[in-house]
Amino acid sequence: MFFQHYCWTAVSDPCHKEKELSLPCKLIVKAVLPVFRCANVLGRNVEKCSISTSPSDHHITFQLLCKHGVVKTYNLTFQECDPLQAVFAKHMCPNILKVHSRLLADVMIHFPTSQEEITLSVTPVKVCFKSYTEEDTDFSRTMVTEIHLSPEEFDYFQVGVDSEVTFCLKELRGLLAFSEATGVPVSIHFDRCGKPIAFSIEDVLLEASLILATLCEAQKEADSQERCCPQQWGSSETLPDKPSGDEPNSTDISKNPQRDGNAPTSPVAKQEVKSIPRVTGRDVTGRAGTPTAEAAGEATEAPYQKFHSLFFGAVSHKEKDATGHTFQSLATASDTEEDLGPLQSSPVL
Amino acid sequence: MPFSAPPPASGEPYVLSASLDNARHLSSLLRAVHFQDHATCFATASGLRVTVEDAKCIQANAFIQAEIFQEFAVQEESVMFRINLSVLLDCLTIFGTSSLPGTSTALRMCYRGYGYPLMLFLEEGGVVTVCKINTQEPEELLDFDFCSTKVVNKIILQSEGLREAFAELDMTSEVLQITMSPDKPYFRLSTFGNAGSAHLDYPRDSDLMEAFHCNQTQTNRYKISLLKPSTKALALSCKVSIRTDAQGFLSLQYMIRNEDGQICFVEYYCCPDENITEAEL
C-alpha cells in the first residue's frame, strides 16, 4: 500500500533450494542518504521514485524522476547478509507506554545533544526521564536533568513492575524524528533493567521497531539508597531464579574468582563491602560492552545480581534474607557502610 | 561616493584607475573564481579580467566590463599584474560581507604600473580604509584556444537546474563524467563514488534547456576536485553554457546578474582527465 507498484520476482537459485527466496542485503547508510537528501526539496522536485534491484551484479537502483524532466539515477552496491533478529518478546513486557512522538521529542530536547544515555524510571504513579551519569562523573561539572511525567500524559499506560532502565538516547533520536515525520505514536515496551527496551511505531503503511539493550542498574541503586525501591532488588524476586539446594552466597562467592569461598574474615569482608557494588555494576557493564551489545538478561548474570542484591539487602536491613545466617559475617562489615559513599573505581575482575 | 584620484606624486598618471559605487559588484565575482590564492589581473579599455589557474588543467576568468564601473581608465594598451586574490578579497570586504540594503562600500582602485602596489580606497558610512597590495610578476596563462568554430557540442541551461546537482556531487568520485549527445541521454552528469554510480540526466526538451546544439556523442571525464569550485559561480549565475571541443576540453560560461541588474561573465575551462581516453557509459 505504501508503494504505487511493488513487484517481487523470486529468482530461484538451484543450489540453494532450501534457502528462503528473499533478498537480505545491506547498504551503507551513508551511500543511501545523499539520494534522499533535503526532504523538503524532494517534495517539491521529485515526482516519482522507482527502486529496482539487479541481484546478479549486486546493485540497487534508485531512480528519481524530477521536475523539468530531470532524471537522477543512483546505482548503489549492496552486500548480502544474514539479517539479525533480536530475541525479544514485546508482548511479554510488563510495562507498556504509548505516547505521541511530539511529547517524547519535547522531553528529549531538554537533554544536551551530548547526553549519551538516559534513564527511564516508572512506577504506577509516575514516569521519570533522567540523565544517566557514570559513577566517576564530576558532579560539580555536570548538568543532570530530570523530567517527571504523570501517567495521564500517555495515550496508554501500563506499569506491571517498577523499573528503571537506562538506554542510549542518541539512537532513539533517529526514531523519534521518523515518528514525528509520520505522525504515528510511539509504543515503549520494557521490563526491568538489563532487559531490552523496544520503541516501536506501527501504522497501516509501515512498522518500525528499535530495540535497545539496557544497562543493569545494580551499581547505581546501591549507591543511592533513597532512590532504590527495595522491592525490585528483593531476594524474593531474584532468588527463585537460582537453582535450589545451593547456598547462594558460597556458590556466588566461588563463582567470583577474586572472592574467598569461605565466610570471609573481617578485613576481607571490608574489602568486599567496598568493592562489590562497584564490581557488580562494572562487571555487567564490562560484559555488556556498550549497551547495544547486551541482550536479555542472561542466566550467568543472575548470580552477580543476586549476590549483590542479597548483599545489599543485608546492608540496608530493609528486608529479610531467606538465607540470612551465612551473610552475617558480611553484614557485620556494615559498619564500613560509610565507606560505600565515595567509591573509587577499584580495579576489578 | 567615488573619490577623486589623489594627486600623483611624480606627475605620472595611474596606468589603471577605476571607481565603483558598490564594491560588491567586484567582490562577488572575484569570489566565484577564488579557488587559489593568486590571480592574474588583466585590464584593457574594455574592462578587467581576473584569471585563476590550478594544476595547469583548469582556468577560471571573471570579466568585469568597463561599463560596470563608474569610472574606468587604462592609460596603456593593457595592464597586467599578479596579485594575492585572498588579500584583495579581504580588503574589498573589509567593512564586512553582509549586504544591508542601502549601505554599500565605495571603491577606488589605482595602479601606477609595473612594480607598484595596487591601491584601494574603500569607504562606507564616512569611514575610509586605504589598502596597498603588492603586485607580482604576471605568470604565463594557459590558452585553451577555445573559439566558437571549434565547439562540437553546446548546451545552455538555466542555472537553477544544475545548482542542486553540483552542490550534491558525490565527492568520493574522482571524476565528473559529462556526456553530451544528440541522442539519449542528451546531457548526463555522472559520478563513480565509493558507494556506486550516480547519473543526472537532462532531456533536450526540458524547460530548463535554453539551447541544445549537440552534433556528436561525446563522453569526457574531468577531475571533480578541479570542477567543484565552479559551484560558486553556478550559485551566482542565472544561466550557464556548457561547451566541449574535439579534444574534450570543457568550457563553462556563467551569466551573472549583479544587484543593479548588470550582466557579467565568469568562465571556467577544464582539460579532460588524461588517464581516461575512452570512458564507458
Side-chain angles (χ1 to χ4, degrees):
Chain A
M1 242 161 90
F2 182 75
F3 299 94
Q4 269 185 332
H5 171 79
Y6 188 86
C7 173
W8 170 252
T9 313
V11 177
S12 59
D13 192 345
C15 335
H16 298 104
K17 274 207 167 67
E18 64 282 1
K19 242 183 162 180
E20 238 182 65
L21 297 176
S22 63
L23 187 65
C25 60
K26 58 181 180 183
L27 295 164
I28 307 172
V29 171
K30 268 194 192 160
V32 183
L33 281 178
V35 179
F36 299 102
R37 203 184 293 198
C38 308
N40 48 345
V41 175
L42 274 183
R44 282 202 308 267
N45 288 349
V46 179
E47 286 163 11
K48 205 163 155 182
C49 171
S50 102
I51 306 174
S52 55
T53 59
S54 92
S56 45
D57 45 43
H58 291 88
H59 271 109
I60 283 192
T61 302
F62 291 89
Q63 203 171 58
L64 301 174
L65 304 178
C66 308
K67 260 178 14 183
H68 307 296
V70 178
V71 177
K72 292 190 201 184
T73 311
Y74 298 86
N75 300 306
L76 303 176
T77 47
F78 65 74
Q79 295 167 309
E80 282 190 27
C81 66
D82 282 322
L84 296 172
Q85 279 286 324
V87 178
F88 178 65
K90 244 164 47 177
H91 56 276
M92 294 197 24
C93 286
N95 299 337
I96 306 175
L97 305 174
K98 193 164 170 181
V99 67
H100 199 269
S101 59
R102 182 76 256 173
L103 178 82
L104 277 182
D106 286 347
V107 165
M108 299 313 162
I109 232 172
H110 295 284
F111 294 93
T113 39
S114 56
Q115 182 72 38
E116 296 226 356
E117 286 146 355
I118 65 167
T119 304
L120 163 62
S121 127
V122 296
T123 68
V125 295
K126 193 182 73 175
V127 173
C128 169
F129 286 94
K130 55 199 169 200
S131 35
Y132 175 75
T133 47
E134 296 274 317
E135 258 293 299
D136 46 3
T137 314
D138 180 2
F139 280 97
S140 63
R141 291 201 189 132
T142 322
M143 179 173 76
V144 172
T145 308
E146 241 184 71
I147 297 168
H148 295 249
L149 299 165
S150 93
E152 283 99 52
E153 308 245 19
F154 293 82
D155 294 346
Y156 180 83
F157 183 86
Q158 173 191 308
V159 170
V161 53
D162 291 1
S163 76
E164 228 180 75
V165 291
T166 300
F167 52 89
C168 193
L169 173 60
K170 284 188 172 168
E171 310 198 344
L172 176 61
R173 288 194 200 266
L175 183 82
L176 289 184
F178 179 61
S179 171
E180 266 197 278
T182 54
V184 182
V186 178
S187 303
I188 313 174
H189 292 78
F190 59 109
D191 201 328
R192 273 163 281 157
C193 75
K195 300 225 159 131
I197 180 167
F199 294 87
S200 44
I201 63 178
E202 244 177 79
D203 188 37
V204 181
L205 293 181
L206 48 84
E207 195 183 302
S209 286
L210 179 68
I211 301 175
L212 297 171
T214 62
L215 266 184
C216 181
E217 286 295 322
Q219 151 210 342
K220 272 208 79 165
E221 305 210 324
D223 304 338
S224 53
Q225 297 175 16
E226 359 23 291
R227 259 196 306 193
C228 169
C229 306
Q231 291 81 3
Q232 302 173 46
W233 294 103
S235 35
S236 53
E237 274 191 333
T238 52
L239 267 179
D241 295 344
K242 187 89 174 84
S244 56
D246 292 339
E247 284 291 355
N249 74 315
S250 53
T251 319
D252 294 341
I253 291 173
S254 67
K255 273 184 183 149
N256 185 330
Q258 274 193 4
R259 296 205 175 79
D260 192 339
N262 308 318
T265 56
S266 187
V268 179
K270 274 199 195 137
Q271 180 216 330
E272 293 183 45
V273 163
K274 272 189 222 144
S275 62
I276 283 164
R278 192 96 193 107
V279 165
T280 318
R282 276 277 170 261
D283 196 35
V284 171
T285 317
R287 248 189 308 163
T290 61
T292 47
E294 175 71 353
E298 244 84 64
T300 46
E301 275 180 41
Y304 291 89
Q305 285 183 7
K306 283 199 312 275
F307 181 67
H308 172 242
S309 61
L310 289 169
F311 172 77
F312 175 75
V315 168
S316 67
H317 302 294
K318 275 186 183 144
E319 57 200 318
K320 276 176 62 179
D321 267 316
T323 56
H325 74 279
T326 45
F327 283 94
Q328 273 164 22
S329 54
L330 286 175
T332 54
S334 61
D335 57 355
T336 59
E337 210 179 291
E338 47 273 22
D339 292 342
L340 279 178
L343 278 179
Q344 309 306 315
S345 279
S346 49
V348 290
L349 309 165
Chain B
M1 196 159 56
F3 286 87
S4 50
S10 55
E12 273 172 37
Y14 288 103
V15 297
L16 166 66
S17 64
S19 296
L20 193 54
D21 280 352
N22 187 348
R24 268 198 304 274
H25 291 164
L26 180 60
S27 58
S28 57
L29 282 173
L30 294 184
R31 240 188 250 121
V33 299
H34 182 213
F35 55 87
Q36 286 286 291
D37 273 340
H38 284 88
T40 302
C41 294
F42 183 74
T44 63
S46 29
L48 180 67
R49 184 189 84 201
V50 178
T51 306
V52 179
E53 287 185 352
D54 188 14
K56 294 272 180 236
C57 285
I58 186 154
Q59 182 186 85
N61 296 296
F63 293 95
I64 307 103
Q65 307 94 283
E67 292 75 38
I68 307 280
F69 294 89
Q70 273 61 55
E71 202 187 301
F72 194 84
V74 177
Q75 299 305 323
E76 292 168 4
E77 211 178 286
S78 70
V79 173
M80 192 155 152
F81 54 84
R82 191 164 177 264
I83 198 167
N84 188 318
L85 183 58
S86 310
V87 172
L88 175 59
L89 270 171
D90 283 346
C91 292
L92 288 173
T93 55
I94 204 157
F95 289 104
T97 47
S98 64
S99 47
L100 291 168
T103 61
S104 60
T105 309
L107 165 72
R108 177 143 182 92
M109 198 160 62
C110 308
Y111 177 61
R112 268 216 185 124
Y114 182 81
Y116 287 90
L118 178 70
M119 302 258 288
L120 302 176
F121 299 85
L122 294 131
E123 184 267 333
E124 186 176 308
V127 180
V128 178
T129 305
V130 180
C131 308
K132 277 192 204 172
I133 307 172
N134 286 337
T135 56
Q136 287 136 38
E137 199 70 54
E139 284 183 353
E140 203 169 306
L141 295 174
L142 297 168
D143 180 10
F144 283 80
D145 195 24
F146 210 101
C147 56
S148 39
T149 49
K150 295 189 176 176
V151 170
V152 174
N153 289 324
K154 173 175 168 168
I155 284 177
I156 300 183
L157 269 177
Q158 281 177 23
S159 302
E160 61 161 297
L162 271 183
R163 260 182 231 139
E164 199 195 299
F166 261 80
E168 288 176 5
L169 279 180
D170 180 6
M171 294 309 288
T172 63
S173 167
E174 272 198 31
V175 294
L176 173 65
Q177 178 173 287
I178 300 182
T179 303
M180 291 165 84
S181 167
D183 314 305
K184 275 198 165 180
Y186 303 116
F187 178 57
R188 170 180 278 189
L189 299 173
S190 311
T191 52
F192 307 91
N194 291 340
S197 61
H199 305 283
L200 196 55
D201 294 344
Y202 293 83
R204 65 181 298 166
D205 54 357
S206 164
D207 42 353
L208 290 172
M209 200 69 82
E210 293 227 344
F212 189 88
H213 307 290
C214 290
N215 306 310
Q216 214 183 83
T217 301
Q218 273 188 318
T219 302
N220 290 296
R221 288 186 176 189
Y222 308 91
K223 280 210 157 51
I224 210 172
S225 53
L226 295 178
L227 279 182
K228 184 74 178 169
S230 68
T231 315
K232 277 190 261 189
L234 184 62
L236 287 173
S237 67
C238 45
K239 272 192 230 186
V240 56
S241 115
I242 303 165
R243 305 177 301 165
T244 50
D245 68 6
Q247 289 128 311
F249 282 74
L250 176 70
S251 151
L252 300 165
Q253 288 176 319
Y254 302 92
M255 184 170 105
I256 295 169
R257 220 178 269 276
N258 69 17
E259 287 165 24
D260 293 344
Q262 295 162 312
I263 306 243
C264 294
F265 287 93
V266 166
E267 63 188 11
Y268 272 74
Y269 290 109
C270 193
C271 301
D273 196 13
E274 273 160 20
N275 300 329
I276 315 290
T277 44
E278 192 56 41
E280 65 276 20
L281 269 167

